Amino acid sequence: MKNHIRINGKLLQTNKKFSALKLKQKEWIASLLRSKTISLMLEHQRQTTGVI
């Protein structure tokens, strides 16, 4: 059980692929990455080459 942790008496799988996540989880990750990217861009006064 190296890929599981126990939280509140339940087993949680920790090695899921992004495609296996639920839509709400994917949206949460995408919004977190977007906010982190924007904050880093503002901190370093740079623009990324990709689309944001």
Side-chain angles (χ1 to χ4, degrees), residues 6-19:
R6 189 172 293 273
I7 296 181
N8 296 330
K10 296 181 180 179
L11 283 178
L12 179 66
Q13 185 179 356
T14 58
N15 66 337
K16 287 186 178 180
K17 292 186 178 186
F18 188 78
S19 60

Side-chain angles (χ1 to χ4, degrees), residues 13-29:
Q13 185 179 356
T14 58
N15 66 337
K16 287 186 178 180
K17 292 186 178 186
F18 188 78
S19 60
L21 297 176
K22 295 179 181 175
L23 182 61
K24 190 171 184 177
Q25 294 168 321
K26 290 179 184 180
E27 290 172 347
W28 179 80
I29 291 171

Side-chain angles (χ1 to χ4, degrees), residues 18 27-40:
F18 188 78
E27 290 172 347
W28 179 80
I29 291 171
S31 67
L32 182 70
L33 288 175
R34 180 179 170 86
S35 65
K36 292 287 186 181
T37 301
I38 290 172
S39 66
L40 283 173

